[in-house]
Amino acid sequence: LVIGDSQTFGHGINYLKDTWVKKLEAKLQKAGRKSSIEVLSISKQGWNSDTHLYKLFESGFKFNPDLVILAYYHNDIPIPTSVNCNSFDRKIIQNINIFQNSKLADFIDFRINRLLEKLGEKPSYSDCLNQAYDSIGWEMNKFYLDIMGLSLSIKKIHFMITVIPLIHKLDNGYPLAGPHGKLKEFARQRNFEFLDFYENGFKNLDADNLKISKTDHHLNQNAGDIVANTLFSKIKSLTKYKNLSYFNKAFTLKEILNENPLL
């Protein structure tokens, strides 16, 4: 069971089969011909960590999953009211009649806003997210993730946290390296299985080839392929077992993925 937001739902992707969740399912089914494998998605635009926890209880447990994968994206963090940061683009030439409702106006506004961010005259989207991670929002976020992990542990359901990067500046100047590090350390302290799609798949790639458009940073099909392939490489050993659900409660996810000889 995969729980996520619009990046997992497939915003901007026309067909369900082309979402990264269904591409992952197809890969697992092809590799595990002797086993029955199903990958379900509970995701929607605008969902955050609190929504993920609520939806797990409302409908996720009904499917009795063997493994829950949280497809975390950075705007899933709760934004407290104390974080007063507005990264929305400003309308620079909205009062000039000749430019109203034109693509040229949108282009000029887009370029001027990026310049204002470089000059420090306007916070960028990543600036506001970094502020949220340096605030009580991170403590709230950890609370929701802790309850999710504890609930799954009680029910003997395996748990993995994955992190989808912001598709912007994917080189060494990636602006959200700090939040990635916080999530990785959080998972390490609690012994949760963790997969960072930035470090394992997206690093140093051209962001323009991986998002829906220049102004829409949702994953396109190329990016979805990277997520599906990377996650498949991580969990493909699940396909080697028959009737895994009968005995997976006796082994940790790490033991299963590392193909424990006893298993």
Side-chain angles (χ1 to χ4, degrees):
L1 179 69
V2 181
I3 300 179
D5 58 11
S6 55
Q7 298 285 20
T8 304
F9 176 81
H11 175 90
I13 305 298
N14 292 326
Y15 301 102
L16 178 63
K17 66 180 179 62
D18 293 327
T19 62
W20 68 259
V21 174
K22 285 304 171 184
K23 288 182 176 181
L24 172 65
E25 181 183 64
K27 288 178 176 294
L28 290 168
Q29 289 177 345
K30 184 177 180 180
R33 294 174 181 173
K34 294 183 179 181
S35 56
S36 175
I37 298 172
E38 187 175 23
V39 182
L40 302 177
S41 171
I42 297 180
S43 54
K44 194 173 181 180
Q45 295 97 322
W47 283 8
N48 300 316
S49 292
D50 56 341
T51 323
H52 297 154
L53 177 62
Y54 176 80
K55 292 298 179 179
L56 174 66
F57 276 84
E58 181 189 53
S59 53
F61 285 131
K62 295 177 183 178
F63 296 108
N64 192 27
D66 298 299
L67 168 65
V68 168
I69 298 174
L70 176 64
Y72 184 90
Y73 186 62
H74 287 294
N75 64 1
D76 294 346
I77 186 173
I79 307 296
T81 55
S82 59
V83 175
N84 185 18
C85 188
N86 183 2
S87 64
F88 289 107
D89 281 2
R90 301 170 185 173
K91 289 292 184 182
I92 308 299
I93 56 175
Q94 60 182 347
N95 295 323
I96 303 177
N97 290 332
I98 194 174
F99 286 123
Q100 286 186 356
N101 300 318
S102 73
K103 291 184 178 180
L104 177 60
D106 292 339
F107 175 79
I108 294 174
D109 278 345
F110 179 80
R111 290 299 181 184
I112 292 177
N113 274 278
R114 301 295 79 76
L115 178 61
L116 291 173
E117 290 170 359
K118 288 182 179 180
L119 295 174
E121 297 297 324
K122 170 188 171 300
S124 67
Y125 184 57
S126 57
D127 290 335
C128 290
L129 286 176
N130 276 307
Q131 284 189 35
Y133 280 92
D134 290 334
S135 72
I136 195 175
W138 172 237
E139 299 303 319
M140 296 164 63
N141 202 46
K142 289 194 295 182
F143 173 79
Y144 294 129
L145 298 182
D146 270 330
I147 297 301
M148 181 179 291
L150 177 62
S151 305
L152 292 168
S153 176
I154 290 172
K155 290 181 173 290
K156 304 297 183 183
I157 298 172
H158 296 303
F159 184 38
M160 177 187 293
I161 297 176
T162 68
V163 184
I164 298 172
L166 180 69
I167 308 301
H168 177 64
K169 292 183 181 178
L170 294 169
D171 54 16
N172 289 329
Y174 178 65
L176 294 178
H180 278 256
K182 286 187 173 184
L183 286 158
K184 182 177 181 179
E185 178 61 17
F186 170 85
R188 186 196 66 79
Q189 290 177 357
R190 291 151 178 81
N191 203 30
F192 294 152
E193 201 65 32
F194 180 79
L195 179 60
D196 186 339
F197 288 120
Y198 171 66
E199 292 291 344
N200 299 274
F202 284 90
K203 191 172 184 178
N204 293 323
L205 297 183
D206 184 357
D208 288 339
N209 294 328
L210 301 170
K211 54 189 178 181
I212 297 296
S213 69
K214 282 193 173 183
T215 56
D216 187 341
H217 288 208
H218 285 91
L219 306 176
N220 63 17
Q221 289 196 41
N222 294 332
D225 286 337
I226 293 173
V227 172
N229 290 334
T230 304
L231 190 48
F232 172 72
S233 296
K234 177 75 172 178
I235 65 174
K236 62 182 178 182
S237 59
L238 296 176
T239 65
K240 296 187 177 183
Y241 308 105
K242 293 179 66 176
N243 303 318
L244 179 61
S245 59
Y246 290 139
F247 54 89
N248 67 358
K249 293 178 174 63
F251 295 86
T252 66
L253 181 59
K254 191 178 295 293
E255 288 175 321
I256 296 173
L257 296 180
N258 292 338
E259 300 180 52
N260 181 299
L262 179 60
L263 177 62

